[in-house]
Amino acid sequence: MLVLITYDVNTETPAGRTRLRKVAKQCMNYGRRVQNSVFECVLDQAQCVTLKAILTGIIDEEVDSLRFYYLGNKYQTKVEHIGVDRGIAVDQPLIL
């Protein structure tokens, strides 16, 4: 299923900047960045639960926030993109 993950991490302190880097790194491990704090991730149920637990463990719930949008398996009909695209689609293979 396609999961859209957005986050807002308070970066007013050094600890906040560290949390921001950690959240971004974990999201990059599971999907692709489509905007600064927005990632598209194609995940199965187990990966989704794991990533959610990892991210929840990183953030400070008093000052940061996470949002998960579950777009399902037929997400191609639910996503419309206009403007510059950043790289390949999240569900396409990358051959190096």
Side-chain angles (χ1 to χ4, degrees):
M1 75 178 136
L2 179 67
V3 180
L4 189 71
I5 301 172
T6 67
Y7 55 86
D8 186 17
V9 177
N10 184 316
T11 58
E12 293 175 353
T13 65
R17 291 187 286 277
T18 299
R19 288 193 312 275
L20 177 67
R21 286 190 300 276
K22 287 181 179 181
V23 168
K25 183 177 179 181
Q26 288 302 320
C27 288
M28 282 190 280
N29 288 338
Y30 286 87
R32 83 171 182 137
R33 180 176 288 201
V34 292
Q35 293 189 357
N36 287 337
S37 296
V38 181
F39 282 80
E40 290 178 346
C41 305
V42 175
L43 308 169
D44 60 30
Q45 188 64 34
Q47 290 172 317
C48 190
V49 169
T50 300
L51 181 55
K52 187 174 180 181
I54 291 169
L55 295 177
T56 302
I58 294 171
I59 69 161
D60 178 348
E61 293 184 29
E62 298 293 320
V63 293
D64 305 332
S65 69
L66 287 168
R67 285 182 177 253
F68 296 84
Y69 297 90
Y70 304 99
L71 300 178
N73 292 320
K74 296 184 180 184
Y75 57 87
Q76 292 90 346
T77 61
K78 299 176 184 176
V79 177
E80 180 179 3
H81 180 98
I82 299 170
V84 178
D85 193 8
R86 292 188 181 184
I88 64 168
V90 68
D91 61 346
Q92 298 298 312
L94 176 62
I95 301 172
L96 300 174

